[in-house]
Amino acid sequence: MRLSAAHLAKPVLHGYFRSSCSWRVRIAFALKGVEFDQVPVNLIKDGGQQRTEQYRTINPMQQVPAVEIDGITLSQSLAVIQYIDETRPGPRLLPADPKKRAQRMISDLIASGIQPLPPLSDHPQVGAEKVQWAQHFIDRGFRALEPVLRETSGMYCVGDEISMADICLVPQVYNAERFSVDLEKYPTIKRLNQTLLEVEAFRASHPSHQPDTPEELRA
């Protein structure tokens, strides 16, 4: 089968080094062994570069990530990961077994139930209790997630193969650590995160190693 020029071109990720959603996409590309280019979108500088009219033409929601791939532009990290999984060879990111694949609920729990709330603490309207705000919502989510992972996990979140659930978990734990959430209360989450951070795809995609990472945050 002949591949189109669009398919042969490198994907382009518009993202931010510390964005959980951008990190998920970086992990997925790394797990699949897909080379890609990055265009930094600084969410803080100049009032937020995602709010420019230029970026609105790429992602009308003015959020990161946005991924240009195969002649189309995708946003929403889970949709991007699913597309990468369905169009690129390499390890499956959504398990073949229907019951294991149904544990995508773990990804949704993180991406819809936890992750959107703590970033609001960066908004000035939230006031002085920003850390407490973030801790409250991460703790609430982790209390729900911990017993689920006790049931589903093996070496990784769903059995012994890395999946979308793992791709979502690690960036969320990074956020928890940023806001000083006590991970000792969540031993399964802590164990899985430590195991996953030994995997090269998770290490290479870490926020401390990106082109737009500030010098003082580089590892």
Side-chain angles (χ1 to χ4, degrees), residues 107-143:
S107 306
D108 291 334
L109 190 160
I110 295 169
S112 300
I114 306 175
Q115 183 268 330
L117 293 165
L120 292 175
S121 66
D122 290 332
H123 291 199
Q125 300 95 310
V126 174
E129 272 107 40
K130 296 180 180 183
V131 172
Q132 292 90 332
W133 173 280
Q135 287 174 341
H136 169 76
F137 285 108
I138 295 173
D139 265 320
R140 188 181 72 169
F142 278 10
R143 283 197 299 271

mmCIF file of all heavy atoms in Angstrom, residues 107-143:
data_model
loop_
_atom_site.group_PDB
_atom_site.id
_atom_site.type_symbol
_atom_site.label_atom_id
_atom_site.label_comp_id
_atom_site.label_asym_id
_atom_site.label_seq_id
_atom_site.Cartn_x
_atom_site.Cartn_y
_atom_site.Cartn_z
ATOM 1 N N SER A 107 -8.664 5.646 32.367
ATOM 2 C CA SER A 107 -8.223 6.841 31.651
ATOM 3 C C SER A 107 -9.259 7.942 31.768
ATOM 4 O O SER A 107 -8.911 9.122 31.986
ATOM 5 C CB SER A 107 -7.987 6.512 30.173
ATOM 6 O OG SER A 107 -7.114 5.423 30.038
ATOM 7 N N ASP A 108 -10.531 7.587 31.613
ATOM 8 C CA ASP A 108 -11.595 8.593 31.682
ATOM 9 C C ASP A 108 -11.725 9.162 33.098
ATOM 10 O O ASP A 108 -11.984 10.356 33.274
ATOM 11 C CB ASP A 108 -12.930 7.995 31.233
ATOM 12 C CG ASP A 108 -12.955 7.680 29.750
ATOM 13 O OD1 ASP A 108 -12.209 8.340 28.997
ATOM 14 O OD2 ASP A 108 -13.696 6.778 29.336
ATOM 15 N N LEU A 109 -11.541 8.295 34.092
ATOM 16 C CA LEU A 109 -11.606 8.771 35.479
ATOM 17 C C LEU A 109 -10.554 9.852 35.719
ATOM 18 O O LEU A 109 -10.829 10.886 36.343
ATOM 19 C CB LEU A 109 -11.398 7.591 36.431
ATOM 20 C CG LEU A 109 -11.662 7.793 37.930
ATOM 21 C CD1 LEU A 109 -11.894 6.443 38.601
ATOM 22 C CD2 LEU A 109 -10.522 8.509 38.638
ATOM 23 N N ILE A 110 -9.347 9.615 35.186
ATOM 24 C CA ILE A 110 -8.277 10.596 35.360
ATOM 25 C C ILE A 110 -8.503 11.815 34.476
ATOM 26 O O ILE A 110 -8.476 12.957 34.947
ATOM 27 C CB ILE A 110 -6.915 9.952 35.041
ATOM 28 C CG1 ILE A 110 -6.594 8.849 36.060
ATOM 29 C CG2 ILE A 110 -5.809 11.012 35.041
ATOM 30 C CD1 ILE A 110 -5.412 7.981 35.684
ATOM 31 N N ALA A 111 -8.751 11.573 33.182
ATOM 32 C CA ALA A 111 -8.805 12.669 32.220
ATOM 33 C C ALA A 111 -10.038 13.546 32.399
ATOM 34 O O ALA A 111 -9.986 14.755 32.150
ATOM 35 C CB ALA A 111 -8.767 12.111 30.795
ATOM 36 N N SER A 112 -11.150 12.961 32.831
ATOM 37 C CA SER A 112 -12.382 13.738 32.997
ATOM 38 C C SER A 112 -12.709 14.038 34.452
ATOM 39 O O SER A 112 -13.300 15.072 34.756
ATOM 40 C CB SER A 112 -13.566 12.975 32.373
ATOM 41 O OG SER A 112 -13.365 12.761 30.999
ATOM 42 N N GLY A 113 -12.317 13.123 35.349
ATOM 43 C CA GLY A 113 -12.722 13.267 36.737
ATOM 44 C C GLY A 113 -11.727 13.957 37.647
ATOM 45 O O GLY A 113 -12.105 14.539 38.664
ATOM 46 N N ILE A 114 -10.428 13.900 37.305
ATOM 47 C CA ILE A 114 -9.400 14.487 38.172
ATOM 48 C C ILE A 114 -8.673 15.625 37.479
ATOM 49 O O ILE A 114 -8.631 16.749 37.967
ATOM 50 C CB ILE A 114 -8.358 13.436 38.611
ATOM 51 C CG1 ILE A 114 -9.024 12.221 39.260
ATOM 52 C CG2 ILE A 114 -7.355 14.058 39.570
ATOM 53 C CD1 ILE A 114 -8.047 11.095 39.601
ATOM 54 N N GLN A 115 -8.076 15.339 36.337
ATOM 55 C CA GLN A 115 -7.121 16.257 35.716
ATOM 56 C C GLN A 115 -7.669 17.652 35.414
ATOM 57 O O GLN A 115 -6.956 18.638 35.607
ATOM 58 C CB GLN A 115 -6.539 15.619 34.445
ATOM 59 C CG GLN A 115 -5.479 16.457 33.755
ATOM 60 C CD GLN A 115 -6.067 17.354 32.687
ATOM 61 O OE1 GLN A 115 -7.078 17.011 32.078
ATOM 62 N NE2 GLN A 115 -5.472 18.517 32.486
ATOM 63 N N PRO A 116 -8.931 17.801 34.955
ATOM 64 C CA PRO A 116 -9.365 19.156 34.597
ATOM 65 C C PRO A 116 -9.470 20.121 35.771
ATOM 66 O O PRO A 116 -9.455 21.330 35.576
ATOM 67 C CB PRO A 116 -10.755 18.929 33.983
ATOM 68 C CG PRO A 116 -10.759 17.503 33.557
ATOM 69 C CD PRO A 116 -9.925 16.794 34.573
ATOM 70 N N LEU A 117 -9.560 19.597 37.004
ATOM 71 C CA LEU A 117 -9.873 20.481 38.129
ATOM 72 C C LEU A 117 -8.659 21.162 38.756
ATOM 73 O O LEU A 117 -8.658 22.376 38.922
ATOM 74 C CB LEU A 117 -10.668 19.707 39.182
ATOM 75 C CG LEU A 117 -12.061 19.306 38.670
ATOM 76 C CD1 LEU A 117 -12.681 18.249 39.563
ATOM 77 C CD2 LEU A 117 -12.971 20.527 38.576
ATOM 78 N N PRO A 118 -7.566 20.429 39.118
ATOM 79 C CA PRO A 118 -6.427 21.129 39.722
ATOM 80 C C PRO A 118 -5.843 22.252 38.883
ATOM 81 O O PRO A 118 -5.401 23.267 39.451
ATOM 82 C CB PRO A 118 -5.425 19.994 39.944
ATOM 83 C CG PRO A 118 -6.279 18.793 40.155
ATOM 84 C CD PRO A 118 -7.430 18.975 39.197
ATOM 85 N N PRO A 119 -5.787 22.163 37.527
ATOM 86 C CA PRO A 119 -5.233 23.300 36.790
ATOM 87 C C PRO A 119 -5.980 24.602 37.015
ATOM 88 O O PRO A 119 -5.427 25.679 36.796
ATOM 89 C CB PRO A 119 -5.343 22.842 35.328
ATOM 90 C CG PRO A 119 -5.250 21.362 35.406
ATOM 91 C CD PRO A 119 -6.018 21.010 36.658
ATOM 92 N N LEU A 120 -7.232 24.507 37.463
ATOM 93 C CA LEU A 120 -7.963 25.735 37.753
ATOM 94 C C LEU A 120 -7.290 26.531 38.867
ATOM 95 O O LEU A 120 -7.505 27.737 38.999
ATOM 96 C CB LEU A 120 -9.403 25.400 38.175
ATOM 97 C CG LEU A 120 -10.306 24.828 37.079
ATOM 98 C CD1 LEU A 120 -11.655 24.437 37.680
ATOM 99 C CD2 LEU A 120 -10.496 25.803 35.940
ATOM 100 N N SER A 121 -6.461 25.828 39.653
ATOM 101 C CA SER A 121 -5.774 26.526 40.736
ATOM 102 C C SER A 121 -4.769 27.536 40.214
ATOM 103 O O SER A 121 -4.295 28.382 40.957
ATOM 104 C CB SER A 121 -5.070 25.514 41.642
ATOM 105 O OG SER A 121 -4.038 24.859 40.942
ATOM 106 N N ASP A 122 -4.445 27.459 38.939
ATOM 107 C CA ASP A 122 -3.548 28.447 38.347
ATOM 108 C C ASP A 122 -4.281 29.733 37.972
ATOM 109 O O ASP A 122 -3.658 30.712 37.595
ATOM 110 C CB ASP A 122 -2.871 27.867 37.096
ATOM 111 C CG ASP A 122 -1.875 26.778 37.446
ATOM 112 O OD1 ASP A 122 -1.328 26.836 38.562
ATOM 113 O OD2 ASP A 122 -1.644 25.887 36.620
ATOM 114 N N HIS A 123 -5.608 29.728 38.054
ATOM 115 C CA HIS A 123 -6.371 30.906 37.683
ATOM 116 C C HIS A 123 -6.449 31.871 38.862
ATOM 117 O O HIS A 123 -6.728 31.459 39.991
ATOM 118 C CB HIS A 123 -7.796 30.517 37.261
ATOM 119 C CG HIS A 123 -7.818 29.767 35.966
ATOM 120 N ND1 HIS A 123 -8.941 29.654 35.205
ATOM 121 C CD2 HIS A 123 -6.849 29.091 35.283
ATOM 122 C CE1 HIS A 123 -8.677 28.941 34.118
ATOM 123 N NE2 HIS A 123 -7.418 28.583 34.161
ATOM 124 N N PRO A 124 -6.247 33.142 38.637
ATOM 125 C CA PRO A 124 -6.258 34.092 39.753
ATOM 126 C C PRO A 124 -7.599 34.160 40.474
ATOM 127 O O PRO A 124 -7.656 34.491 41.653
ATOM 128 C CB PRO A 124 -5.928 35.429 39.073
ATOM 129 C CG PRO A 124 -6.196 35.225 37.624
ATOM 130 C CD PRO A 124 -5.942 33.786 37.359
ATOM 131 N N GLN A 125 -8.696 33.785 39.784
ATOM 132 C CA GLN A 125 -10.006 33.872 40.425
ATOM 133 C C GLN A 125 -10.150 32.903 41.598
ATOM 134 O O GLN A 125 -10.983 33.085 42.474
ATOM 135 C CB GLN A 125 -11.125 33.550 39.408
ATOM 136 C CG GLN A 125 -11.165 34.479 38.208
ATOM 137 C CD GLN A 125 -10.396 33.891 37.030
ATOM 138 O OE1 GLN A 125 -9.260 33.482 37.189
ATOM 139 N NE2 GLN A 125 -11.021 33.884 35.865
ATOM 140 N N VAL A 126 -9.340 31.842 41.604
ATOM 141 C CA VAL A 126 -9.467 30.836 42.649
ATOM 142 C C VAL A 126 -9.022 31.389 43.992
ATOM 143 O O VAL A 126 -9.503 30.966 45.044
ATOM 144 C CB VAL A 126 -8.669 29.570 42.258
ATOM 145 C CG1 VAL A 126 -8.671 28.566 43.399
ATOM 146 C CG2 VAL A 126 -9.256 28.954 41.001
ATOM 147 N N GLY A 127 -8.128 32.347 43.995
ATOM 148 C CA GLY A 127 -7.705 32.967 45.243
ATOM 149 C C GLY A 127 -6.466 32.324 45.822
ATOM 150 O O GLY A 127 -5.716 31.630 45.149
ATOM 151 N N ALA A 128 -6.278 32.557 47.124
ATOM 152 C CA ALA A 128 -5.010 32.197 47.761
ATOM 153 C C ALA A 128 -4.880 30.703 48.025
ATOM 154 O O ALA A 128 -3.779 30.192 48.138
ATOM 155 C CB ALA A 128 -4.860 32.957 49.069
ATOM 156 N N GLU A 129 -6.005 29.998 48.166
ATOM 157 C CA GLU A 129 -5.926 28.586 48.549
ATOM 158 C C GLU A 129 -5.723 27.672 47.353
ATOM 159 O O GLU A 129 -6.432 26.686 47.174
ATOM 160 C CB GLU A 129 -7.182 28.183 49.303
ATOM 161 C CG GLU A 129 -7.079 28.421 50.794
ATOM 162 C CD GLU A 129 -7.912 29.606 51.216
ATOM 163 O OE1 GLU A 129 -9.000 29.727 50.689
ATOM 164 O OE2 GLU A 129 -7.448 30.371 52.040
ATOM 165 N N LYS A 130 -4.765 27.997 46.500
ATOM 166 C CA LYS A 130 -4.588 27.233 45.264
ATOM 167 C C LYS A 130 -4.128 25.811 45.537
ATOM 168 O O LYS A 130 -4.632 24.858 44.942
ATOM 169 C CB LYS A 130 -3.581 27.951 44.355
ATOM 170 C CG LYS A 130 -4.056 29.319 43.876
ATOM 171 C CD LYS A 130 -3.033 29.982 42.981
ATOM 172 C CE LYS A 130 -3.545 31.353 42.515
ATOM 173 N NZ LYS A 130 -2.611 32.006 41.589
ATOM 174 N N VAL A 131 -3.158 25.657 46.421
ATOM 175 C CA VAL A 131 -2.634 24.322 46.705
ATOM 176 C C VAL A 131 -3.718 23.456 47.334
ATOM 177 O O VAL A 131 -3.909 22.294 46.958
ATOM 178 C CB VAL A 131 -1.392 24.402 47.609
ATOM 179 C CG1 VAL A 131 -0.964 23.010 48.056
ATOM 180 C CG2 VAL A 131 -0.246 25.093 46.875
ATOM 181 N N GLN A 132 -4.443 24.020 48.286
ATOM 182 C CA GLN A 132 -5.503 23.255 48.948
ATOM 183 C C GLN A 132 -6.584 22.832 47.953
ATOM 184 O O GLN A 132 -7.125 21.721 48.032
ATOM 185 C CB GLN A 132 -6.131 24.075 50.080
ATOM 186 C CG GLN A 132 -5.199 24.323 51.252
ATOM 187 C CD GLN A 132 -4.388 25.600 51.093
ATOM 188 O OE1 GLN A 132 -4.106 26.037 49.970
ATOM 189 N NE2 GLN A 132 -4.007 26.200 52.215
ATOM 190 N N TRP A 133 -6.896 23.715 47.023
ATOM 191 C CA TRP A 133 -7.883 23.412 45.991
ATOM 192 C C TRP A 133 -7.426 22.196 45.182
ATOM 193 O O TRP A 133 -8.176 21.230 44.988
ATOM 194 C CB TRP A 133 -8.047 24.636 45.092
ATOM 195 C CG TRP A 133 -8.907 24.454 43.876
ATOM 196 C CD1 TRP A 133 -8.550 23.877 42.698
ATOM 197 C CD2 TRP A 133 -10.260 24.870 43.706
ATOM 198 N NE1 TRP A 133 -9.591 23.905 41.806
ATOM 199 C CE2 TRP A 133 -10.652 24.501 42.399
ATOM 200 C CE3 TRP A 133 -11.178 25.523 44.534
ATOM 201 C CZ2 TRP A 133 -11.925 24.759 41.893
ATOM 202 C CZ3 TRP A 133 -12.442 25.781 44.029
ATOM 203 C CH2 TRP A 133 -12.805 25.404 42.735
ATOM 204 N N ALA A 134 -6.191 22.231 44.707
ATOM 205 C CA ALA A 134 -5.666 21.131 43.902
ATOM 206 C C ALA A 134 -5.599 19.837 44.709
ATOM 207 O O ALA A 134 -5.984 18.765 44.228
ATOM 208 C CB ALA A 134 -4.288 21.491 43.365
ATOM 209 N N GLN A 135 -5.106 19.938 45.954
ATOM 210 C CA GLN A 135 -5.009 18.745 46.794
ATOM 211 C C GLN A 135 -6.372 18.102 47.000
ATOM 212 O O GLN A 135 -6.516 16.875 46.957
ATOM 213 C CB GLN A 135 -4.403 19.106 48.148
ATOM 214 C CG GLN A 135 -2.924 19.411 48.113
ATOM 215 C CD GLN A 135 -2.403 19.908 49.448
ATOM 216 O OE1 GLN A 135 -3.177 20.367 50.306
ATOM 217 N NE2 GLN A 135 -1.093 19.848 49.639
ATOM 218 N N HIS A 136 -7.399 18.918 47.214
ATOM 219 C CA HIS A 136 -8.744 18.397 47.462
ATOM 220 C C HIS A 136 -9.217 17.536 46.301
ATOM 221 O O HIS A 136 -9.692 16.407 46.494
ATOM 222 C CB HIS A 136 -9.716 19.553 47.694
ATOM 223 C CG HIS A 136 -11.151 19.132 47.693
ATOM 224 N ND1 HIS A 136 -11.733 18.484 48.757
ATOM 225 C CD2 HIS A 136 -12.120 19.238 46.735
ATOM 226 C CE1 HIS A 136 -12.999 18.224 48.468
ATOM 227 N NE2 HIS A 136 -13.255 18.677 47.243
ATOM 228 N N PHE A 137 -9.081 18.035 45.079
ATOM 229 C CA PHE A 137 -9.629 17.313 43.937
ATOM 230 C C PHE A 137 -8.762 16.120 43.540
ATOM 231 O O PHE A 137 -9.291 15.080 43.105
ATOM 232 C CB PHE A 137 -9.831 18.264 42.759
ATOM 233 C CG PHE A 137 -11.025 19.149 42.943
ATOM 234 C CD1 PHE A 137 -10.875 20.497 43.219
ATOM 235 C CD2 PHE A 137 -12.308 18.632 42.884
ATOM 236 C CE1 PHE A 137 -11.978 21.314 43.411
ATOM 237 C CE2 PHE A 137 -13.418 19.435 43.073
ATOM 238 C CZ PHE A 137 -13.252 20.790 43.333
ATOM 239 N N ILE A 138 -7.447 16.238 43.704
ATOM 240 C CA ILE A 138 -6.601 15.085 43.412
ATOM 241 C C ILE A 138 -6.841 13.986 44.440
ATOM 242 O O ILE A 138 -6.972 12.805 44.092
ATOM 243 C CB ILE A 138 -5.115 15.488 43.359
ATOM 244 C CG1 ILE A 138 -4.863 16.443 42.185
ATOM 245 C CG2 ILE A 138 -4.233 14.249 43.225
ATOM 246 C CD1 ILE A 138 -3.469 17.031 42.150
ATOM 247 N N ASP A 139 -6.911 14.353 45.706
ATOM 248 C CA ASP A 139 -7.197 13.361 46.750
ATOM 249 C C ASP A 139 -8.535 12.675 46.501
ATOM 250 O O ASP A 139 -8.658 11.453 46.625
ATOM 251 C CB ASP A 139 -7.207 14.019 48.130
ATOM 252 C CG ASP A 139 -5.867 13.917 48.847
ATOM 253 O OD1 ASP A 139 -5.239 12.847 48.759
ATOM 254 O OD2 ASP A 139 -5.460 14.891 49.489
ATOM 255 N N ARG A 140 -9.540 13.447 46.164
ATOM 256 C CA ARG A 140 -10.866 12.873 45.913
ATOM 257 C C ARG A 140 -10.798 11.859 44.776
ATOM 258 O O ARG A 140 -11.358 10.762 44.863
ATOM 259 C CB ARG A 140 -11.868 13.966 45.567
ATOM 260 C CG ARG A 140 -13.302 13.462 45.484
ATOM 261 C CD ARG A 140 -14.272 14.557 45.111
ATOM 262 N NE ARG A 140 -14.133 14.947 43.706
ATOM 263 C CZ ARG A 140 -14.991 15.726 43.054
ATOM 264 N NH1 ARG A 140 -16.042 16.235 43.704
ATOM 265 N NH2 ARG A 140 -14.818 16.038 41.789
ATOM 266 N N GLY A 141 -10.079 12.208 43.713
ATOM 267 C CA GLY A 141 -9.942 11.296 42.587
ATOM 268 C C GLY A 141 -9.118 10.070 42.919
ATOM 269 O O GLY A 141 -9.471 8.947 42.530
ATOM 270 N N PHE A 142 -8.027 10.257 43.645
ATOM 271 C CA PHE A 142 -7.170 9.125 43.989
ATOM 272 C C PHE A 142 -7.863 8.162 44.948
ATOM 273 O O PHE A 142 -7.605 6.959 44.908
ATOM 274 C CB PHE A 142 -5.854 9.620 44.582
ATOM 275 C CG PHE A 142 -4.826 10.037 43.550
ATOM 276 C CD1 PHE A 142 -5.165 10.164 42.212
ATOM 277 C CD2 PHE A 142 -3.516 10.312 43.924
ATOM 278 C CE1 PHE A 142 -4.221 10.547 41.265
ATOM 279 C CE2 PHE A 142 -2.565 10.684 42.981
ATOM 280 C CZ PHE A 142 -2.916 10.807 41.645
ATOM 281 N N ARG A 143 -8.735 8.676 45.809
ATOM 282 C CA ARG A 143 -9.494 7.783 46.691
ATOM 283 C C ARG A 143 -10.380 6.848 45.880
ATOM 284 O O ARG A 143 -10.619 5.695 46.276
ATOM 285 C CB ARG A 143 -10.338 8.592 47.677
ATOM 286 C CG ARG A 143 -9.560 9.179 48.834
ATOM 287 C CD ARG A 143 -10.461 9.613 49.983
ATOM 288 N NE ARG A 143 -11.408 10.642 49.583
ATOM 289 C CZ ARG A 143 -11.164 11.954 49.644
ATOM 290 N NH1 ARG A 143 -9.988 12.393 50.082
ATOM 291 N NH2 ARG A 143 -12.088 12.834 49.284
#
